Amino acid sequence: MTKQNYNSRILSTLVLILLFLSFSSFAQQAKYVFYFIGDGMGVAHVAAAEAYLKATDDKNGDGLSFTRFPVSGLATTYAANRFITGSAAAGTALATGQKTSVNTIGMDSAKVKPLETIAERAKIEGFKVGIISSVSIDHATPACFYAHQPNRGMYYEISLELSKSNFDFFGGGSFKYPDGKDGQISAFDIARENGYRITQTKKDFANLKKGDGKVLATGSVIESSGALRYAIDQTDEDIPLEDFVAKAIELLDSKKGFFIMCEEGKIDWAAHENDGATAVKNVISLSKSVDAAIDFYKKHPNETLIIVTADHETGGFALGSALTKYDSDFSLLKSQKISAQSFSALADSLFLMRRNQNLGFAMQLVEDYFGLGGISGISLSNYEKKMLEDAYFVSTSKLELGHDEEYVLYGGCHPLTAAATHILNNKAGLSWTSWSHTAISVPVFAIGAGSELFDGYYDNTDIPKKIAKAMQIIINN
Amino acid sequence: MTKQNYNSRILSTLVLILLFLSFSSFAQQAKYVFYFIGDGMGVAHVAAAEAYLKATDDKNGDGLSFTRFPVSGLATTYAANRFITGSAAAGTALATGQKTSVNTIGMDSAKVKPLETIAERAKIEGFKVGIISSVSIDHATPACFYAHQPNRGMYYEISLELSKSNFDFFGGGSFKYPDGKDGQISAFDIARENGYRITQTKKDFANLKKGDGKVLATGSVIESSGALRYAIDQTDEDIPLEDFVAKAIELLDSKKGFFIMCEEGKIDWAAHENDGATAVKNVISLSKSVDAAIDFYKKHPNETLIIVTADHETGGFALGSALTKYDSDFSLLKSQKISAQSFSALADSLFLMRRNQNLGFAMQLVEDYFGLGGISGISLSNYEKKMLEDAYFVSTSKLELGHDEEYVLYGGCHPLTAAATHILNNKAGLSWTSWSHTAISVPVFAIGAGSELFDGYYDNTDIPKKIAKAMQIIINN
């Protein structure tokens, strides 16, 4: 070989290496995006769910899927007009990259200008779009991705915006008020008119297949609130949240890419009732939904971005309580059989059915459903027994407390439920400071294309901007 | 130019570019390492301090220095034998990369085998080493970097290990029990024998200069616990924590590099008293200490690593309370004049001096020092007034509560202080679930050489291993 030939060879090899290095340093577009939002899920909810999984046999102690992601960040959540935010203002921040006032859906804080959402922009740019929630699909968080209303309570107006959104997939909860006021056309009918195929049973859901066009798939069991049941209350009759994610992937997977937002909305609801066992099981439900996304990511690791975050923390949740000090036993949460919400409904209906309401019967219910006290349950101290007795007497109006004291003790919940929940939570090592949201920064977990953008400490409005950057699109606000 | 020459030129240019690319992808050694530990500092403590800074004029609302770092992570904290850890077990994890049992200092969980610490390894590898704490320098967290004892309470033994450590700088708090039991030689004398220059005044501290050899610099005002005073209680007489960091940098800066661990230990102490205003001001004190490190980092950005983390969370702190729901006003914390600890001591001594103890006098103290009630203070609801009155009557033994109820309400604190602190915290929008540590994951903030290692969700034992990796050393455990 001549020297010239030799040099040329080396030269071309080097050029190839350089080209490779140059390309590999360019960010790959996030073509497939999963945006998971655990409503009300603070760092404590994540840590409690991990601790519960490690303390029990569930999932062989592997922990949550998303805490193993390589990237984590923390995001501030404040609203334009209140430091402790609400789901509408936080949802708008997470969907549009703009701060707004509490209760506002996808509009500026003066409730005048509609804001473009990342989902709308993704649709315009050719991505398929799916919106999933375990609460009603017109609830604040999902609504913020397709609707623009001055108040989150305008459910009918929001459901009409959904029907006309042209998004490719809606799944999970149903409409909260599909029929609006008297004489208005059902939002379901309007969705049908706009080309949506609607499924409401497990069978129809299972039969959904690629090419079916636009889909609105509600759960097979829907509460009066429009939501799916709590994970702890679900049976084989329910379609769990992860199945909606798997179905969205099946239907939306295409060369155009997709943007799927999935909210686990009932972590927040459970936390509003200070119901640790139920909140933890809904965090695990979120983790299973993320598993479905991870399965897809493994097939397209260079083009898939998965984000898991929260809109705000709910409850001032902590893994430690004044009563238990340094002790904890998260496996005790297993002794709670149903959600606090279901227990309240059950207790009320049983008391209505029984002629002789008495303390003994109430205590028996607490033993049966929370595993507390009695012969078979976890033993109670005199202090805890008195908490339950006081709660029973308050609920039967035999004991009256001051307004503030009663609210601090029971929030808006059934007093017996609140006392039982607090006692079981405390015994496990969990406690709460509030029945409302709090303003602690929320965690962000990320993996895949563009995930490096999500490191550090930033504001919630930065999150959709970072996602848009990874998708190589720009939200027009 | 001939084609051959032309090719050769391109070739050599390409080789240079390739060499540059190869070298730039190699990690630069962290030659100067700052390891800040906020004892008891959870995500909530950080968020509360940020919120306070933004709500007041302090520091022009810039927020904390370390939340602007590009990298953040979350770390689990559990001990080998308890899920809710203590400062000794957590300090050992952060210093040695190994889990141990609660109360054990730098030894394995069976309390048999001493563990090598990252500070000891750094010293062996030629780095200068500085250890700083705002609590006594023989307290659990700093001790874990130089001592190996089966129990954190063995202060004298720990202080002897310090004296013989050969580390270059110790600063902040003093020894807790320098004189041990009767007839033992003072730890100070042993330190002197081992070549330490000891300073205990502001003047001597200011005069310390490079070349002075090994230094043990205690605060100019030291509490009976051996600690510096709380930031909220400090005056011009005190040497603030950041001055110790600045002095350590001045003395240790050398071509050999350095490893400086600085603990802000009283965030934890304030949180154990559920004293939000005091905790927040000690988080700000930590932030100022980090500022000193940032100044150094700016001069050596490619060789400096700054880590800010915590050993565990204390108090189950939340930015939201049942009473205030969605409201908050962090600027109210300004009305607290002294720490809860100082208030308890003051109230006790004033009551001892006064012949006629009465409720009115107690309420006046609460007005004077917490800005609550009376003519000038923040107005109190009947519920809050009753909380204060009950606390006064419990403290004067005129009201007796059950053991559990009294502990939940007041922990181990002066009842009047605990009630006043809780009320002011609640009004600001802050609340607590525990008087002890909790098990929520703690934040990690990082900037500089090797900082990319600190992204994600991991265990506290990973932190010193990551630091060691950045320093290109290996801890031998």
Side-chain angles (χ1 to χ4, degrees), chain A residues 124-186:
Chain A
I124 292 167
E125 303 282 351
F127 292 82
K128 298 268 183 181
V129 172
I131 303 292
I132 300 165
S133 177
S134 62
V135 297
S136 71
I137 197 69
D138 47 13
H139 214 259
T141 309
C144 286
F145 285 82
Y146 60 78
H148 313 273
Q149 297 292 339
N151 199 296
R152 61 179 288 178
M154 299 169 75
Y155 286 101
Y156 183 70
E157 291 76 7
I158 291 169
S159 65
L160 296 193
E161 286 200 78
L162 181 154
S163 303
K164 294 167 186 171
S165 69
N166 207 32
F167 286 3
D168 303 278
F169 183 85
F170 289 97
S174 184
F175 292 128
K176 192 176 165 85
Y177 296 121
D179 301 324
K181 291 167 203 153
D182 294 339
Q184 288 182 303
I185 305 167
S186 163

Side-chain angles (χ1 to χ4, degrees), chain A residues 22-101:
Chain A
S22 312
F23 274 104
S24 68
S25 70
F26 274 111
Q28 182 121 20
Q29 185 194 21
K31 196 171 151 189
Y32 307 105
V33 173
F34 294 92
Y35 194 1
F36 289 96
I37 300 174
D39 200 305
M41 183 178 75
V43 179
H45 301 67
V46 173
E50 286 252 311
Y52 174 79
L53 285 173
K54 283 179 185 171
T56 61
D57 286 330
D58 299 39
K59 232 186 144 190
N60 302 317
D62 271 353
L64 300 170
S65 52
F66 51 85
T67 54
R68 295 195 297 274
F69 284 3
V71 177
S72 82
L74 285 166
T76 51
T77 66
Y78 61 93
N81 62 343
R82 202 177 66 195
F83 192 72
I84 300 179
T85 194
S87 287
T92 299
L94 292 174
T96 71
Q98 303 296 315
K99 289 288 186 198
T100 192
S101 45

Side-chain angles (χ1 to χ4, degrees), chain A residues 175-370:
Chain A
F175 292 128
K176 192 176 165 85
Y177 296 121
D179 301 324
K181 291 167 203 153
D182 294 339
Q184 288 182 303
I185 305 167
S186 163
F188 283 115
D189 290 335
I190 296 177
R192 268 188 212 98
E193 277 171 26
N194 281 279
Y196 280 93
R197 177 185 295 258
I198 296 167
T199 67
Q200 297 178 302
T201 65
K202 279 195 96 163
K203 197 183 156 196
D204 288 350
F205 178 76
N207 286 335
L208 283 171
K209 59 185 187 308
K210 224 164 168 169
D212 276 351
K214 293 181 291 183
V215 165
L216 168 54
T218 77
S220 45
V221 184
I222 293 289
E223 293 183 336
S224 59
S225 65
L228 305 184
R229 294 198 284 195
Y230 283 111
I232 196 175
D233 293 333
Q234 289 187 358
T235 65
D236 286 347
E237 290 172 25
D238 299 80
I239 303 173
L241 189 63
E242 65 261 33
D243 286 6
F244 289 100
V245 176
K247 183 60 80 176
I249 295 171
E250 182 191 334
L251 301 186
L252 305 190
D253 187 7
S254 76
K255 283 184 183 162
K256 294 174 175 177
F258 59 66
F259 171 90
I260 295 172
M261 190 292 294
C262 171
E263 183 208 23
E264 173 42 87
K266 295 190 89 170
I267 300 164
D268 172 69
W269 292 20
H272 275 294
E273 299 206 60
N274 289 185
D275 180 0
T278 300
V280 154
K281 287 182 182 175
N282 272 53
V283 173
I284 295 168
S285 154
L286 175 64
S287 177
K288 287 179 186 165
S289 303
V290 176
D291 280 337
I294 292 173
D295 287 343
F296 182 87
Y297 163 81
K298 284 179 182 162
K299 291 175 207 150
H300 308 273
N302 298 323
E303 299 171 293
T304 304
L305 171 65
I306 309 176
I307 301 295
V308 181
T309 187
D311 52 354
H312 52 73
E313 198 268 359
T314 304
F317 197 28
L319 287 82
S321 84
L323 264 183
T324 40
K325 298 173 190 166
Y326 292 95
D327 290 334
S328 61
D329 180 357
F330 299 101
S331 70
L332 293 181
L333 296 178
K334 275 201 136 173
S335 68
Q336 183 174 328
K337 302 288 179 293
I338 55 178
S339 67
Q341 176 192 291
S342 295
F343 180 79
S344 296
L346 181 81
D348 274 346
S349 66
L350 288 178
F351 273 105
L352 277 179
M353 281 193 294
R354 273 175 70 98
R355 215 167 272 198
N356 300 313
Q357 297 180 16
N358 64 46
L359 179 63
F361 181 59
M363 294 305 110
Q364 186 63 49
L365 287 179
V366 170
E367 183 183 348
D368 291 347
Y369 292 96
F370 288 91

Side-chain angles (χ1 to χ4, degrees), chain A residues 3-4 7-8 10-11 14-15 17-18 21 42-47 50-51 54 66-74 76 78 82-86 272 313 315-323 325-328 330 381-384 403-405 407-408 429 431-443 445 451-452 454-458, chain B residues 3-4 7-8 10-11 14-15 17-18 21 42-47 50-51 54 66-74 76 78 82-86 272 313 315-323 325-328 330 381-384 403-405 407-408 429 431-443 445 451-452 454-458:
Chain A
K3 198 178 172 192
Q4 192 176 334
N7 273 354
S8 292
I10 293 184
L11 185 59
L14 283 174
V15 167
I17 292 172
L18 266 182
L21 284 171
V43 179
H45 301 67
V46 173
E50 286 252 311
K54 283 179 185 171
F66 51 85
T67 54
R68 295 195 297 274
F69 284 3
V71 177
S72 82
L74 285 166
T76 51
Y78 61 93
R82 202 177 66 195
F83 192 72
I84 300 179
T85 194
H272 275 294
E313 198 268 359
F317 197 28
L319 287 82
S321 84
L323 264 183
K325 298 173 190 166
Y326 292 95
D327 290 334
S328 61
F330 299 101
S381 70
N382 289 335
Y383 179 69
E384 291 160 341
H403 175 270
D404 284 349
E405 190 179 0
Y407 185 80
V408 167
S431 51
W432 307 81
T433 70
S434 177
W435 303 96
S436 307
H437 305 161
T438 77
I440 191 172
S441 315
V442 294
F445 302 96
S451 59
E452 68 283 356
F454 296 86
D455 197 2
Y457 195 92
Y458 40 86
Chain B
K3 195 176 176 194
Q4 193 176 336
N7 271 354
S8 289
I10 294 185
L11 185 59
L14 283 174
V15 166
I17 292 173
L18 266 182
L21 283 171
V43 179
H45 301 66
V46 173
E50 287 252 311
K54 285 180 184 172
F66 51 84
T67 54
R68 295 195 296 275
F69 284 4
V71 177
S72 81
L74 286 166
T76 50
Y78 60 92
R82 203 176 67 195
F83 193 70
I84 300 179
T85 194
H272 275 294
E313 198 268 358
F317 197 26
L319 287 81
S321 83
L323 264 183
K325 298 173 190 165
Y326 291 96
D327 290 334
S328 61
F330 299 101
S381 68
N382 289 336
Y383 178 68
E384 291 159 342
H403 174 270
D404 283 349
E405 190 178 0
Y407 184 80
V408 167
S431 51
W432 307 82
T433 70
S434 177
W435 304 95
S436 308
H437 307 160
T438 77
I440 191 172
S441 316
V442 295
F445 302 95
S451 60
E452 70 282 355
F454 296 86
D455 196 3
Y457 195 92
Y458 40 85

